[in-house]
Amino acid sequence: MSASIGDLAGDLLEELGYAGLVVLMAVEHVFPPIPSELVLPLAGFEVGRGNLSLLGALAASTAGSLIGATFLYLLARKGGRPLVLRLRRVLRVGEEDLDRAEQHFRHHSAWMVVLGRMVPGLRSLVSLPPGLLRMPFWRYLALTFAGSLVWNTALIVAGRQLGRRWSEVGGVVGPVAQWVVVAIVPLTLAALVVRSQRRAAPAA
């Protein structure tokens, strides 16, 4: 399946260039079977071949990410939980997954939006709680932009560096991204606890 998706992505990039990259990244956010771990390194390969510029590929991929993420945010905000669950097969989101995502979002909303962009399988899910719980749209968009830009840059540059071996990126970034989140989240929570304790401590 990944080979056919790779062929489709390659055809779109060849035919439509930056517009194809925008479409692929927008669709990737809504339909997880199209992985950015495949699309972005391929775009990096095209950058290395001179068919795309690095800045153009970054701008197009990040624009596509914002379009897809905004669509899911608005779907959740306007349609609410009933609509999200009605579309769960399309979005590949179960009710239990949604419950856990909402719970995590209530405790560390900003980190969830940013880091969720860098974890395969979470990019669609992480857009729903901000809409359901009505995070201010411009704050959501800024956090999404930050996380998407970091992720897109890393994978495009990796694909450019690997050249014809660009497809190897996908097998590495998934596990690495998950371990990074596993490491960062506890450290972030510890820092928040320390900061709250310092604020609560009476002045000497």
Side-chain angles (χ1 to χ4, degrees), residues 42-56:
L42 176 57
F45 174 56
E46 294 298 328
V47 170
R49 294 175 63 193
N51 295 330
L52 301 174
S53 72
L54 178 59
L55 288 179

Side-chain angles (χ1 to χ4, degrees), residues 84-202:
V84 171
L85 293 177
R86 199 176 309 142
L87 297 174
R88 61 181 176 272
R89 289 186 179 179
V90 177
L91 301 175
R92 298 202 172 191
V93 174
E95 188 169 4
E96 292 183 0
D97 295 329
L98 193 59
D99 290 339
R100 284 195 297 268
E102 285 189 27
Q103 184 177 1
H104 289 308
F105 182 81
R106 292 179 192 276
H107 292 292
H108 12 270
S109 57
W111 283 111
M112 184 175 174
V113 173
V114 173
L115 296 178
R117 302 293 159 200
M118 308 177 197
V119 181
L122 284 185
R123 278 185 293 280
S124 296
L125 180 60
V126 79
S127 297
L128 300 174
L132 292 174
L133 300 176
R134 297 184 173 274
M135 171 183 266
F137 175 69
W138 292 110
R139 182 167 186 254
Y140 167 78
L141 201 64
L143 294 170
T144 299
F145 173 81
S148 298
L149 183 61
V150 171
W151 176 256
N152 296 351
T153 300
L155 268 65
I156 289 174
V157 170
R160 183 185 64 174
Q161 295 301 113
L162 285 174
R164 294 192 177 277
R165 294 164 49 221
W166 61 267
S167 59
E168 298 177 11
V169 176
V172 176
V173 295
V176 170
Q178 290 175 353
W179 278 109
V180 167
V181 172
V182 168
I184 288 178
V185 170
L187 292 175
T188 302
L189 293 178
L192 292 174
V193 169
V194 171
R195 188 193 309 174
S196 65
Q197 289 178 342
R198 287 178 177 174
R199 289 179 177 176

